[in-house]
């Protein structure tokens, strides 16, 4: 039994518990989880709200299920979309909302859900396993939350993802959709695809779940050290009561530095053995979404895309290595005339 056997069931049980949910439905990737979630909610037309700053998966998932993303600018402090911005972007044609916990920083799920007054909310928790809001797991938000287990996330199964929900009917629909549309063996009730997880992935995921608390502790320690050292630069700020897992640690340069300065800084860091990279994407600028979205303007997402970089942060990074990163950052910003 190499696919969707006892280990997958065990991984789902432990994951649901960790996320404070009744059900977890494991699948092949975080992107697959988003497509399954929108499918299970019956979204196949109309508009779906989606923050503008992100890896493209949520907006691509919306287009692929037959709807149009209404992109929403992000907040300058949290780099997440706010309840006010989401509510303002809603139209009569809006069918659902995707709320992203950007870089592992939980968005205001409850306020957004309340502001959208009955609209189904999918939390893209691809990055936020282990993050909390008032002590509760971030993936406990929304009708369905979607997780990713890509190697850059808190825990990995190689590729992998999951939907978590408290709604038994939705969980059943998700299970049907991931398994060729089968309601039972050979009972094909809808034209579903194949988004199953393998036993090999689940075995890896179970071992990784055992390490999640240690991984979180290390990430939080490193995140706090970066925050202290980089005061003055643009940093993602947690709201009251929110604890990020620092899945990605981003920093933005001041407005006086443009994208060229950011790129030069990334090159200088890499030349010194520091694996920095550009931070994220303003989705309205992607060729894949040209003519396919509504919304705007997006000044904050553009600022973060143009001036943001990600610094190395992983549980294997020791304090000494992090100090080397910070020294290289300090040297390179001075050499390029970039001041906080
Ligand atoms: C916000 C967000 N959503 C979805 C995904 C997609 O996850 P996966 O790579 O597992 O398909 C990512 C991946 O980076 C992400 O950052």
């Amino acid at each position: 039994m190499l696919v969707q056997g006892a280990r997958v069931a065990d991984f789902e049980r432990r994951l649901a518990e960790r996320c404070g949910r009744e059900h977890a439905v494991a699948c092949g990737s975080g992107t697959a989880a988003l497509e399954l979630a929108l499918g299970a909610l019956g979204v196949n037309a109309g508009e779906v709200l989606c923050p503008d700053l992100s890896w493209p998966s949520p907006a691509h998932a919306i287009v692929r299920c037959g709807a149009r993303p209404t992109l929403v600018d992000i907040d300058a402090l949290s780099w997440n979309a706010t309840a006010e911005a989401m509510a303002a972007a809603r139209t009569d044609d809006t069918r659902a909302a995707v709320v992203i916990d950007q870089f592992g920083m939980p968005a205001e799920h409850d306020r957004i859900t309340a502001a959208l007054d009955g609209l189904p909310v999918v939390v893209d928790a691809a990055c936020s396993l282990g993050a909390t809001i008032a002590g509760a797991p971030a993936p406990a938000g929304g009708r369905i939350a979607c997780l990713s287990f890509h190697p850059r996330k808190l825990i990995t199964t190689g590729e992998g993802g999951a939907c978590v929900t408290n709604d038994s009917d939705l969980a059943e629909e998700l299970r049907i959709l991931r398994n060729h549309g089968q309601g039972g063996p050979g009972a094909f009730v809808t034209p579903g695809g194949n988004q199953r997880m393998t036993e090999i992935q689940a075995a890896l995921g179970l071992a990784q779940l055992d390490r999640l608390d240690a991984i979180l502790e290390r990430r939080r320690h490193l995140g706090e050290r970066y925050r202290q050292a980089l005061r003055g630069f643009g940093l993602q700020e947690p709201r009251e009561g929110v604890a990020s897992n620092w899945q990605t640690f981003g920093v933005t340069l001041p407005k006086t530095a443009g994208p060229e300065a950011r790129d030069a800084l990334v090159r200088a860091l890499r030349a010194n053995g520091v694996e920095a990279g550009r931070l994220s994407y303003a989705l309205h600028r992607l060729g894949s979404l040209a003519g396919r979205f509504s919304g705007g303007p997006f000044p904050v997402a553009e600022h973060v895309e143009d001036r943001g970089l990600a610094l190395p942060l992983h549980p294997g990074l020791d304090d000494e290595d992090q100090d080397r990163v910070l020294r290289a950052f300090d040297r390179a910003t001075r050499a390029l005339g970039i001041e906080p």
Side-chain angles (χ1 to χ4, degrees), residues 50-99:
C50 178
D52 189 51
L53 188 87
S54 175
W55 183 250
S57 292
H60 284 182
I62 292 165
V63 173
R64 283 164 59 79
C65 77
R68 185 176 178 88
T70 302
L71 299 175
V72 179
D73 201 13
I74 53 163
D75 170 60
L77 289 178
S78 67
W79 302 350
N80 283 323
T82 63
E84 288 74 17
M86 292 291 249
R90 183 180 186 174
T91 71
D92 290 345
D93 220 15
T94 307
R95 307 288 177 88
V98 175
V99 174

Side-chain angles (χ1 to χ4, degrees), residues 29-31 34 54-55 57 100 124 126-127 148 150 153 160:
S29 68
T31 304
L34 288 163
S54 175
W55 183 250
S57 292
I100 303 174
D124 182 338
C127 305
S148 164
H150 178 271
K153 304 304 191 290

